[in-house]
Amino acid sequence: EALPSLGGRMTFGVGRFRLSEDILNREIEIIKRIGVEIHLNTHIGKDITLDDIKAQGYKAIFLAIGASLPQIDLPNVSAEGVIDSLNFLKSVALGKIKSVPSKVLVLGGNEPDIDAARTALRLGANKVYVLFSYSKDRLLINPSDLIEAEKEGVVFHFFSFPIAISVSNGKADGIYFKETFLNNSNSHTQKRVSQLEGPEKKMEADFIITSPRYVPNILGLERNLALTSLGTIQIDQKTFSTSIEG
């Protein structure tokens, strides 16, 4: 396990308000009691290689590294005051982020994004806005989460497509966006979103949480494993085995 404690997504990828730490720790203790040996702070491919593990006598290796490496094409995303939703939740869980500025802007509408928005309120934000390119019914969350988020004070702006992060003196101070609409001009059953004509608008913020595409972090593994054109691990579709036996 690369991180300093167990739990994976349940520990580091959701709002802490969702799951009692006591319940999570009890589940982890069950795993420990049945005899699983655990090595924390151990990054496969960096601290130890697949060859090292095989050399220790293990006959089978299961890779469960998930997808946590953010990829996003948004100008100024590396500016100070910008973080992606999963890294924000992880930093909160690790105690690295204990408070946030007054006005927080979240770009996206999936579960980590909305958990990040609700977490920001719990860390002291006075205003939290969520910008989403589509309509309310296209949010990738449970409807009850939307109800709870709105009750807590999260404000949603639908049909708003982020164009670029606004930066002043190296620090993010807002987002440029365009209003969108659902395009009915194609024959697809899934309506596409299109940008309205006209100038960009700006929404100011002190802290911005993005919603990137996440891919597996295979740093150090690519030397041994065959990869797909997308940079993911190539597997046999029937057995899920990789290019390395075992």
Side-chain angles (χ1 to χ4, degrees), residues 71 213 215-218 222 226-234:
Q71 289 188 345
R213 169 178 175 260
V215 297
N217 185 355
I218 56 172
E222 72 277 8
L227 304 179
T228 69
S229 59
L230 297 175
T232 55
I233 299 171
Q234 190 176 77

Side-chain angles (χ1 to χ4, degrees), residues 3 45 85 89 98 117 133-135 153 179 193-195 220 238:
L3 292 168
S85 55
L89 293 170
K98 299 180 180 180
S133 301
Y134 293 89
S135 55
E179 293 181 348
V193 68
S194 298
Q195 296 177 24
K238 292 182 179 180

Side-chain angles (χ1 to χ4, degrees), residues 22-240:
D22 291 338
I23 293 175
L24 183 58
N25 288 336
R26 285 204 299 268
E27 294 290 321
I28 291 172
E29 284 304 315
I30 292 173
I31 296 172
K32 291 180 178 178
R33 284 201 300 270
I34 63 176
V36 176
E37 184 179 334
I38 298 164
H39 299 269
L40 300 174
N41 298 303
T42 306
H43 191 292
I44 304 299
K46 178 182 177 183
D47 301 310
I48 190 171
T49 67
L50 295 177
D51 288 339
D52 293 335
I53 296 173
K54 296 186 77 171
Q56 293 177 26
Y58 292 97
K59 302 301 182 184
I61 300 171
F62 178 76
L63 295 174
I65 57 177
S68 60
L69 191 65
Q71 289 188 345
I72 185 171
D73 183 17
L74 185 66
N76 301 322
V77 73
S78 59
E80 181 185 348
V82 182
I83 190 172
D84 65 274
S85 55
L86 281 184
N87 272 309
F88 173 72
L89 293 170
K90 182 173 74 173
S91 296
V92 172
L94 290 171
K96 294 180 178 179
I97 294 180
K98 299 180 180 180
S99 63
V100 295
S102 176
K103 191 173 182 180
V104 176
L105 189 55
V106 180
L107 311 177
N110 58 33
E111 288 183 353
D113 304 331
I114 307 309
D115 275 18
R118 298 173 67 184
T119 298
L121 284 172
R122 288 163 169 79
L123 294 182
N126 292 321
K127 296 179 180 179
V128 177
Y129 299 96
V130 172
L131 259 64
F132 187 57
S133 301
Y134 293 89
S135 55
K136 180 186 293 189
D137 60 349
R138 296 280 287 274
L139 286 168
L140 302 175
I141 60 173
N142 191 299
S144 63
D145 289 332
L146 173 61
I147 294 171
E148 292 300 316
E150 290 182 322
K151 279 183 180 179
E152 291 171 6
V154 177
V155 177
F156 288 81
H157 290 268
F158 298 105
F159 296 109
S160 301
F161 184 82
I163 301 296
I165 293 170
S166 171
V167 176
S168 177
N169 297 320
K171 189 178 186 306
D173 66 359
I175 188 79
Y176 292 108
F177 70 98
K178 275 197 169 187
E179 293 181 348
T180 62
F181 66 97
L182 290 180
N183 191 341
N184 298 316
S185 62
N186 61 70
S187 59
H188 300 290
T189 55
Q190 183 86 334
K191 295 180 181 178
R192 295 183 177 181
V193 68
S194 298
Q195 296 177 24
L196 287 172
E197 295 295 330
E200 298 172 357
K201 296 184 177 181
K202 181 182 177 182
M203 181 176 288
E204 295 182 350
D206 306 310
F207 191 72
I208 296 175
I209 300 172
T210 65
S211 178
R213 169 178 175 260
Y214 291 98
V215 297
N217 185 355
I218 56 172
L219 183 64
L221 293 175
E222 72 277 8
R223 294 191 296 268
N224 306 96
L225 294 168
L227 304 179
T228 69
S229 59
L230 297 175
T232 55
I233 299 171
Q234 190 176 77
I235 60 168
D236 183 289
Q237 294 297 324
K238 292 182 179 180
T239 65
F240 297 104

